[in-house]
Amino acid sequence: MLNIVRTNSDNTDFLNLITHLDQYLRVLDGEDHSFFAQFNKVDHINHVIVIYLDNVAVACGAIKEYEVGTMEVKRMFTSPAARGKGIASTVLRELEQWSLELGYTRCILEMGKLQTQAEILYRKNNYTVIPNYGQYEGVESSLCFEKLL
C-alpha cells in the first residue's frame, strides 16, 4: 500500500533517499557532478513529498519557487526496487497538485541528458522541452522541461 506524505527537507527519510540519489548522480554525471550539485542543496525546502510502500520510504520529490507563478521540481528519486510501478509519476502528480494549491500555474525542471529514464517519465507526464533556464543556460548536458498546470 502507498502512503503519500507531505513534509519538508528536514524529513529523515527524504534525506536518506536523496543520499542515494546523489550517489547515483555522482556516477552518472562524472566530472560535471560538482557543477550540478551546487544547485541541489536541500536546506529550507518547505514542500517535499515522500512516498512509502508498505511503510518503507521508496520515492521523493520537492518543489521550490523559481519565480512568481512557477515552481521548480527538484530532487526526484525512486529507489531501484520500487521502479516500474508508477510511483515516480505519483510523486510528480502530487507535486503538481501541491503547486496548484499554493497558487502556481507552471512547473519547470532540469535534468541531465544522460538520465534517460527520467526523460521518459517527464515526457509521459506531459512535460515539454524548453530552452535551458537560469543557471542551466548554455549547459549542453542539461535538458529543461515545463508543464502548465
Side-chain angles (χ1 to χ4, degrees):
M1 183 169 105
L2 284 184
N3 185 25
I4 302 165
V5 173
R6 289 182 177 187
T7 185
N8 61 41
S9 59
D10 293 332
N11 180 285
T12 303
D13 291 326
F14 172 68
L15 295 171
N16 288 335
L17 285 166
I18 63 168
T19 296
H20 295 290
L21 170 62
D22 288 335
Q23 290 168 350
Y24 168 75
L25 292 176
R26 192 171 292 113
V27 172
L28 191 63
D29 293 339
E31 294 178 7
D32 291 336
H33 182 71
S34 60
F35 170 77
F36 291 112
Q38 69 180 319
F39 305 121
N40 290 319
K41 306 294 184 216
V42 294
D43 298 350
H44 312 296
I45 296 180
N46 294 320
H47 304 97
V48 169
I49 297 286
V50 177
I51 302 268
Y52 295 84
L53 178 60
D54 299 326
N55 296 316
V56 176
V58 296
C60 64
I63 48 176
K64 67 177 191 175
E65 185 177 71
Y66 180 75
E67 61 188 20
V68 174
T70 300
M71 279 288 198
E72 185 177 22
V73 175
K74 305 292 288 180
R75 313 285 36 212
M76 288 283 299
F77 181 73
T78 302
S79 62
R83 292 180 186 162
K85 299 176 182 182
I87 295 172
S89 289
T90 300
V91 172
L92 211 45
R93 282 191 303 274
E94 290 294 320
L95 293 172
E96 293 164 2
Q97 180 58 41
W98 204 354
S99 295
L100 280 170
E101 291 171 17
L102 293 167
Y104 294 85
T105 57
R106 177 178 166 229
C107 285
I108 60 172
L109 61 90
E110 180 276 342
M111 54 159 278
K113 285 186 177 178
L114 296 177
Q115 298 172 28
T116 54
Q117 294 301 310
E119 182 177 355
I120 291 167
L121 168 72
Y122 298 130
R123 289 182 186 275
K124 180 176 78 173
N125 284 279
N126 301 312
Y127 280 74
T128 56
V129 175
I130 59 172
N132 288 6
Y133 60 86
Q135 64 266 27
Y136 306 111
E137 286 182 32
V139 179
E140 291 185 23
S141 59
S142 284
L143 189 59
C144 294
F145 288 88
E146 78 170 349
K147 182 176 181 179
L148 302 179
L149 304 176

